[in-house]
Every structure is written in structure tokens, then in C-alpha cells.
Amino acid sequence: MPQFDFLSFPSQIFWLVVTFVALYFIISRFAIPRIGDVMEQRQKMIDDDLERATQLKADTDAAIQTYEKALAEARAKAHEVMKGAQDEMSRKAEERNRDVAEKLAQQIAEGETRISKARDEALASIREVATDAAKAVADKVAGVSIADDKAEAAVAAALKETR
């Protein structure tokens, strides 16, 4: 085997050194700078993406705050509108209740007046009926004819006793 031959060692070492130096020169001048450029580009892209993500997050946070503020304002306005509507409905209900109460009071007063008038008419007609009945009973039972003024006086006395 030629690689184990001691006479060929110096030439093998020479070519080994020449190959390593050439390989080192090619890698250090061409490959490493290109790899460095690619890594720098990747790092720059990553940094740009992170910066853009930070900016987007800040924009999103601002939009969320604006949304929450608008939502709170809308809720407050809706609450005010509902409160106003409730107040208006309460006011209208009170007005209706007041109107109904006034109408009922008026109807009650009218009813009491009608009842009083009917009672007075009934009492007046009761006196007439009682007077006629007393005269008829006295005529039928006792066979006595009573004058109208005496029959009315007797009915009035009887009514005073019952009150």
C-alpha cells in the first residue's frame, strides 16, 4: 500500500498542506462571507418581523382601547336612553293614573248624587205608599176612613221611631 510507504510521506504531507491551505483560502474568501451575508439577512428579516409584530400589537392594543371606549360610551348612552324612556313611561303612567283617579272620583260623586236622589225619591214614594197603605189597612181592617193629613202624620211618626 502506497500510503504506508515511508518514502512517500513527505509528498503526501506536502499535498495535504497544499490542499488544506487552498481549501481554507476558498472557504475563508468565498463561502464564509456568503454564509455571513445570509445569516445577516435572516437576522435582519427576523428583527423586521419582530418590529412589525410589535407595531401591529401596539396598533391592536390601541384599536382594542378605542373599541372598549366606544363600547363604554355606547352602553352609557343606552343606559341614559333607557332611563329617559323609563322616566317618560313613569310620567305618562302617573298622568294616566291621575286622569283615571279624577274620572273615578267624578263618577263616584255622580253615583253618590244619583243614589242620594234615588234614596230621597224612594223615601218620598215610601211615604206616599205607606200613607196609602195605612189608609187602606184602616179602611179594610177597622172600616174607618182616615184623612190624608192624619195618615201622613202617623207615617212620619213611625219613620222617626225607626231612625
Side-chain angles (χ1 to χ4, degrees), residues 5-23:
D5 185 14
F6 290 111
L7 293 175
S8 66
F9 273 178
S11 70
Q12 288 180 9
I13 290 176
F14 170 77
W15 286 112
L16 178 70
V17 169
V18 169
T19 306
F20 274 120
V21 168
L23 188 60

Side-chain angles (χ1 to χ4, degrees), residues 127 131 151-161:
R127 284 183 187 222
T131 303
E152 287 177 8
V155 169
L159 285 176
K160 282 185 182 178
E161 286 179 12

Side-chain angles (χ1 to χ4, degrees), residues 25-86:
F25 180 76
I26 291 172
I27 287 177
S28 67
R29 296 286 183 198
F30 299 109
I32 289 179
R34 285 185 184 170
I35 291 173
D37 289 343
V38 168
M39 290 186 65
E40 284 178 16
Q41 286 177 351
R42 284 186 182 176
Q43 187 63 40
K44 184 179 177 187
M45 226 172 21
I46 290 170
D47 291 342
D48 289 344
D49 288 346
L50 288 175
E51 183 179 324
R52 191 171 39 163
T54 304
Q55 180 63 35
L56 290 175
K57 184 178 183 325
D59 292 346
T60 303
D61 290 343
I64 287 173
Q65 287 178 351
T66 304
Y67 168 76
E68 288 175 353
K69 183 179 177 184
L71 184 62
E73 289 174 359
R75 284 182 180 160
K77 188 172 182 178
H79 183 67
E80 289 175 13
V81 168
M82 287 181 58
K83 178 95 169 118
Q86 284 178 337

Side-chain angles (χ1 to χ4, degrees), residues 89-152:
M89 288 190 311
S90 296
R91 186 183 58 76
K92 285 183 179 180
E94 287 177 14
E95 287 177 7
R96 277 182 279 165
N97 288 342
R98 194 176 328 111
D99 291 344
V100 168
E102 289 174 2
K103 286 179 183 178
L104 286 176
Q106 184 181 6
Q107 287 176 354
I108 288 171
E110 290 173 359
E112 287 175 351
T113 304
R114 283 194 311 263
I115 289 171
S116 176
K117 187 177 178 182
R119 185 187 71 218
D120 292 343
E121 289 175 3
L123 285 176
S125 74
I126 285 177
R127 284 183 187 222
E128 288 179 21
V129 170
T131 303
D132 291 341
K135 283 174 39 177
V137 168
D139 189 32
K140 291 257 183 193
V141 173
V144 178
S145 179
I146 300 176
D148 287 340
D149 58 342
K150 287 184 180 181
E152 287 177 8

